[in-house]
């Protein structure tokens, strides 16, 4: 297979931007900011688990200080009863499809995921109209530091 044929012109531009902003002295947030600026992105969305609301607020402030317009939505958007989506379950459903729809209505150009559950992140990524990058994965056991599973202690 000629793997080069898998990449559109737009894909190649994303690869180029990614290469251009690589910098070992920058953390992930700084790289996202550099990427967004290089790509000409003006409006960024944040889709977060409600458990990560403080972090989402801090990221929103950081992005705003860098000149971006920011739209945010937590997973309990719409307060949908879980038993209406998943019979015999109680509580309020997480709403990744709603988060994606909300950010699409806001016309975000890049969406950042913070701490969505496994499965919920999949739904959000599938339904998001804007490209998605993940800042933090939810890992309850390892306190959101999944890499530690693979590093010998």
């Amino acid at each position: 297979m000629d793997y080069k044929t898998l990449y559109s012109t737009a894909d190649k531009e994303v690869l180029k931007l990614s290469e251009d902003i690589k910098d070992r002295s920058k953390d992930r947030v700084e790289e996202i900011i550099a990427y967004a600026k290089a790509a000409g992105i003006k409006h960024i969305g944040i889709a977060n688990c409600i458990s990560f609301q403080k972090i989402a607020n801090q990221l929103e402030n950081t992005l705003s200080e860098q000149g971006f317009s920011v739209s945010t939505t937590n997973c309990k958007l719409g307060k949908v009863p879980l038993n209406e989506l998943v019979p015999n379950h109680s509580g309020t459903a997480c709403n990744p499809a709603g988060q994606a729809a909300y950010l699409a209505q806001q016309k975000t150009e890049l969406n950042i995921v913070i701490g969505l559950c496994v499965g919920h992140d999949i739904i959000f990524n599938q339904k998001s109209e804007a490209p998605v990058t993940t800042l933090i994965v939810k890992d309850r056991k390892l306190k959101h530091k999944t890499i530690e599973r693979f590093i010998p202690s």
Side-chain angles (χ1 to χ4, degrees), residues 8-23:
S8 68
T9 301
D11 294 334
K12 291 175 187 176
E13 182 59 24
V14 169
L15 290 171
K16 179 186 180 319
L17 288 170
S18 178
E19 291 299 317
D20 290 348
I21 60 95
K22 279 184 186 177
D23 184 341

Side-chain angles (χ1 to χ4, degrees), residues 38-69:
I41 290 168
K42 306 282 188 233
H43 192 177
I44 298 176
I46 300 172
N48 62 282
C49 169
I50 199 159
S51 301
F52 291 80
Q53 193 61 54
K54 281 186 180 178
I55 292 168
N57 292 344
Q58 290 172 336
L59 179 60
E60 178 183 13
N61 291 338
T62 299
L63 295 172
S64 294
E65 288 169 1
Q66 290 294 316
F68 296 101
S69 173

